[in-house]
Amino acid sequence: MPEVTLTTLQKRKQDGEKFAVVTSYDATFAHAANQAGVEVILVGDSLGMVLQGNDSTLPVSVADMAYHTRCVKRGNRDALIMADLPFMAYATVEQALQSSATLMQAGAHMVKLEGGAWLCESVRQLTERGVPVCAHLGLTPQTVNVLGGYKVQGRAEAQARQLRADATALEQAGAACLLLECVPSELAAEITQSVKIPVIGIGAGNATDAQVLVMHDLLGLSISGRTPKFVKNFLAGQNSIQDAITAFVQAVKDGSFPGPEHSFSA
Ligand code: KIV
Ligand code: NA
């Protein structure tokens, strides 16, 4: 695959071709993701749970994210590397700039941050200074203590209205893409159509421009014993981890994943 850039992702959306995103935290899994044709590797702060064994993403530091971004960069060939800004690393515009500099210098091609319209100034300044931004909306795990748990967002009409407004404001501020986590499929479809930038979904139904899963989840590994509704085990029926990642990419591209059984209704 030629090197994936923001232009590639824009073109996928324009052409109505879905793209695949998967987390990796190290060189070997980054390589495996490349081999499977994944367009975007997410160095997610989910590593706080999956690798570090914490019960939330809050303990993750910028230094942790930079370390894993460097590891992923060494195993990557042509995927676009997106790195999460961790909890409280972008509480102010200044912090957002500084934390993003660290992650971009570690090998990220873009950063992801969680939140709505309050982030517009950070998104604007980051983009002006050369850092493309993905804005993560809906269930934002860094805010779990405010949300009162890991719950579907946007079912109430007031929340849905807020999500639509946040999506529009962030696009206007220059966000390069959006990520919607755990929102009803109908609302995700509506937002995807209403913005020109690519929308990545997880637990957001089938109509988004891309799908993301945590690598360990798609391989059927779970530390908690509880599997979220939006997860599918792609290793089942495959002979290798490589084949499982390839099956995920295929299912995203042909639209067979996620099915209604992996999605939420209003
Ligand atoms: O950290 C992560 O892995 C994420 C995805 C679940 C979207 O943010
Ligand atoms: Na994350």
Side-chain angles (χ1 to χ4, degrees):
M1 187 165 48
E3 197 184 342
V4 175
T5 67
L6 277 186
T7 313
T8 317
L9 306 184
Q10 278 287 357
K11 190 165 185 317
R12 291 273 194 282
K13 174 157 186 151
Q14 280 155 18
D15 296 347
E17 287 174 19
K18 308 234 181 217
F19 61 90
V21 184
V22 69
T23 69
S24 302
Y25 317 110
D26 68 31
T28 304
F29 277 98
H31 176 74
N34 273 250
Q35 294 296 100
V38 164
E39 277 92 347
V40 179
I41 292 175
L42 172 63
V43 187
D45 64 351
S46 52
L47 68 84
M49 300 166 89
V50 170
L51 298 189
Q52 298 174 338
N54 297 302
D55 60 7
S56 78
T57 58
L58 274 62
V60 178
S61 68
V62 174
D64 292 338
M65 293 307 302
Y67 170 76
H68 288 284
T69 301
R70 281 195 299 275
C71 293
V72 164
K73 180 190 165 55
R74 294 187 198 111
N76 184 52
R77 188 182 55 236
D78 47 35
L80 187 147
I81 300 174
M82 179 191 297
D84 270 345
L85 291 179
F87 179 66
M88 280 293 159
Y90 52 99
T92 66
V93 174
E94 278 313 308
Q95 285 176 318
L97 296 175
Q98 204 157 16
S99 304
S100 299
T102 302
L103 297 188
M104 296 296 278
Q105 291 180 330
H109 301 114
M110 80 188 290
V111 301
K112 176 161 78 60
L113 33 71
E114 296 181 6
W118 69 273
L119 286 167
C120 283
E121 188 54 27
S122 294
V123 170
R124 194 172 292 116
Q125 292 206 28
L126 283 166
T127 306
E128 281 169 346
R129 286 155 181 73
V131 181
V133 181
C134 177
H136 183 152
L137 296 166
L139 172 52
T140 45
Q142 292 172 17
T143 330
V144 61
N145 293 293
V146 173
L147 298 177
Y150 298 98
K151 298 186 281 206
V152 178
Q153 302 293 311
R155 276 190 167 140
E157 184 46 38
Q159 259 187 10
R161 208 176 309 120
Q162 184 66 56
L163 267 174
R164 288 188 207 101
D166 284 341
T168 303
L170 288 159
E171 178 181 40
Q172 280 168 3
C177 63
L178 300 178
L179 188 149
L180 297 177
E181 177 165 352
C182 291
V183 304
S185 306
E186 300 80 1
L187 178 59
E190 198 189 313
I191 291 173
T192 302
Q193 282 176 17
S194 74
V195 296
K196 290 203 174 65
I197 53 178
V199 177
I200 303 164
I202 178 165
N206 203 287
T208 54
D209 303 304
Q211 297 291 332
V212 59
L213 279 181
V214 168
M215 180 71 85
H216 295 58
D217 285 344
L218 80 82
L219 297 177
L221 291 168
S222 165
I223 195 169
S224 68
R226 290 180 298 111
T227 306
K229 187 180 185 196
F230 54 78
V231 168
K232 179 177 172 185
N233 178 356
F234 283 92
L235 190 60
Q238 301 293 335
N239 288 317
S240 68
I241 287 174
Q242 188 64 68
D243 287 351
I245 306 169
T246 302
F248 166 68
V249 173
Q250 189 56 47
V252 169
K253 291 190 180 279
D254 70 21
S256 57
F257 178 80
E261 69 275 27
H262 306 114
S263 308
F264 302 103
S265 55

